[in-house]
Amino acid sequence: WLKVPPVIFRKCVRHTASGFLTAMAARYAVRTTVVPEGAAVPEKVQLKLARDKTLAEEKTVAVAAAKKDHEEQRAALKNRTQEYEKEYSDYQKKLIDLRREAKLGGNFFVEPE
Protein backbone atom coordinates (compact mmCIF):
# COMPACT_ATOMS: atom_id res chain seq x y z
CA TRP A 1 0.00 0.00 0.00
CA LEU A 2 1.33 3.36 -0.99
CA LYS A 3 0.63 6.18 1.44
CA VAL A 4 0.02 9.48 -0.26
CA PRO A 5 -0.56 12.62 1.82
CA PRO A 6 -3.84 14.36 1.03
CA VAL A 7 -3.36 17.45 -1.09
CA ILE A 8 -6.15 19.78 -2.02
CA PHE A 9 -6.18 20.90 -5.62
CA ARG A 10 -8.02 24.04 -6.52
CA LYS A 11 -9.05 24.63 -10.06
CA CYS A 12 -9.06 28.19 -11.28
CA VAL A 13 -10.86 28.90 -14.51
CA ARG A 14 -10.05 32.19 -16.17
CA HIS A 15 -9.85 33.65 -19.63
CA THR A 16 -6.62 35.20 -20.82
CA ALA A 17 -6.27 38.02 -23.34
CA SER A 18 -5.84 35.56 -26.19
CA GLY A 19 -9.09 33.78 -25.28
CA PHE A 20 -7.25 30.69 -24.06
CA LEU A 21 -9.05 29.05 -21.15
CA THR A 22 -6.67 28.08 -18.38
CA ALA A 23 -7.93 25.41 -16.05
CA MET A 24 -5.16 25.66 -13.51
CA ALA A 25 -2.99 28.46 -12.25
CA ALA A 26 0.75 28.00 -12.50
CA ARG A 27 1.28 28.58 -8.81
CA TYR A 28 -0.53 25.40 -7.75
CA ALA A 29 1.66 22.40 -7.09
CA VAL A 30 0.97 19.10 -8.78
CA ARG A 31 2.11 16.06 -6.89
CA THR A 32 4.75 13.88 -8.43
CA THR A 33 4.56 10.44 -6.86
CA VAL A 34 6.98 7.74 -7.83
CA VAL A 35 5.72 4.20 -7.48
CA PRO A 36 8.39 1.54 -6.96
CA GLU A 37 8.54 -0.99 -9.74
CA GLY A 38 6.69 -4.19 -8.98
CA ALA A 39 4.74 -2.67 -6.07
CA ALA A 40 1.04 -3.39 -5.81
CA VAL A 41 -0.83 -0.12 -6.28
CA PRO A 42 -4.50 0.14 -5.32
CA GLU A 43 -6.98 1.24 -7.96
CA LYS A 44 -7.80 4.54 -6.23
CA VAL A 45 -4.12 5.45 -6.08
CA GLN A 46 -3.77 4.60 -9.77
CA LEU A 47 -6.66 6.94 -10.52
CA LYS A 48 -5.02 9.69 -8.49
CA LEU A 49 -1.73 9.16 -10.28
CA ALA A 50 -3.48 9.39 -13.65
CA ARG A 51 -5.29 12.57 -12.54
CA ASP A 52 -2.04 14.12 -11.35
CA LYS A 53 -0.40 13.28 -14.66
CA THR A 54 -3.15 15.02 -16.66
CA LEU A 55 -3.04 18.02 -14.30
CA ALA A 56 0.72 18.29 -14.78
CA GLU A 57 0.30 18.23 -18.56
CA GLU A 58 -2.42 20.90 -18.41
CA LYS A 59 -0.20 23.00 -16.18
CA THR A 60 2.76 22.87 -18.55
CA VAL A 61 0.53 23.89 -21.46
CA ALA A 62 -1.03 26.72 -19.45
CA VAL A 63 2.34 28.00 -18.26
CA ALA A 64 3.73 27.99 -21.80
CA ALA A 65 0.67 29.85 -23.10
CA ALA A 66 0.86 32.41 -20.29
CA LYS A 67 4.55 32.95 -20.96
CA LYS A 68 3.88 33.47 -24.67
CA ASP A 69 1.05 35.93 -23.91
CA HIS A 70 3.30 37.83 -21.52
CA GLU A 71 6.09 38.08 -24.12
CA GLU A 72 3.60 39.34 -26.73
CA GLN A 73 2.24 41.96 -24.32
CA ARG A 74 5.74 43.13 -23.45
CA ALA A 75 6.67 43.43 -27.16
CA ALA A 76 3.48 45.40 -27.87
CA LEU A 77 4.17 47.69 -24.90
CA LYS A 78 7.72 48.30 -26.10
CA ASN A 79 6.50 49.18 -29.63
CA ARG A 80 3.84 51.57 -28.30
CA THR A 81 6.37 53.24 -26.04
CA GLN A 82 8.80 53.74 -28.90
CA GLU A 83 6.05 55.22 -31.07
CA TYR A 84 5.03 57.67 -28.33
CA GLU A 85 8.65 58.69 -27.72
CA LYS A 86 9.15 59.28 -31.44
CA GLU A 87 5.94 61.32 -31.66
CA TYR A 88 7.00 63.43 -28.67
CA SER A 89 10.52 64.03 -29.98
CA ASP A 90 9.17 64.95 -33.44
CA TYR A 91 6.82 67.48 -31.83
CA GLN A 92 9.66 68.98 -29.81
CA LYS A 93 11.85 69.25 -32.93
CA LYS A 94 8.99 70.95 -34.78
CA LEU A 95 8.64 73.53 -31.98
CA ILE A 96 12.38 74.20 -32.04
CA ASP A 97 12.29 74.68 -35.81
CA LEU A 98 9.35 77.11 -35.49
CA ARG A 99 11.20 79.12 -32.81
CA ARG A 100 14.30 79.36 -35.01
CA GLU A 101 12.23 80.35 -38.03
CA ALA A 102 10.45 83.07 -36.04
CA LYS A 103 13.75 84.39 -34.67
CA LEU A 104 15.30 84.54 -38.15
CA GLY A 105 12.27 86.45 -39.44
CA GLY A 106 12.43 88.94 -36.55
CA ASN A 107 9.16 87.70 -35.09
CA PHE A 108 8.10 86.18 -31.79
CA PHE A 109 7.03 82.59 -31.39
CA VAL A 110 3.97 81.92 -29.26
CA GLU A 111 3.71 78.27 -28.24
CA PRO A 112 0.43 76.54 -28.99
CA GLU A 113 -1.77 75.79 -26.04
Side-chain angles (χ1 to χ4, degrees), residues 99 101-109:
R99 282 190 199 102
E101 184 180 327
K103 189 173 184 179
L104 287 175
N107 297 321
F108 293 102
F109 175 71

Side-chain angles (χ1 to χ4, degrees), residues 94-104 109 111:
K94 178 183 168 190
L95 289 179
I96 291 170
D97 291 341
L98 289 173
R99 282 190 199 102
R100 288 177 181 165
E101 184 180 327
K103 189 173 184 179
L104 287 175
F109 175 71
E111 290 195 23

Side-chain angles (χ1 to χ4, degrees), residues 4-5 7 9 24 29-33 45-59:
V4 179
V7 177
F9 287 97
M24 173 180 257
V30 177
R31 252 185 320 208
T32 54
T33 307
V45 175
Q46 288 177 354
L47 291 174
K48 287 180 183 180
L49 292 173
R51 181 200 60 201
D52 290 345
K53 183 179 177 184
T54 58
L55 286 175
E57 291 169 358
E58 288 178 8
K59 180 180 175 180

Side-chain angles (χ1 to χ4, degrees), residues 7 21 27 58-59 70 73 77 94 102:
V7 177
L21 181 70
R27 66 180 180 266
E58 288 178 8
K59 180 180 175 180
H70 181 69
Q73 287 177 353
L77 176 66
K94 178 183 168 190

Side-chain angles (χ1 to χ4, degrees), residues 12-29:
C12 255
V13 178
R14 67 184 181 117
H15 292 277
T16 59
S18 64
F20 181 78
L21 181 70
T22 57
M24 173 180 257
R27 66 180 180 266
Y28 296 123

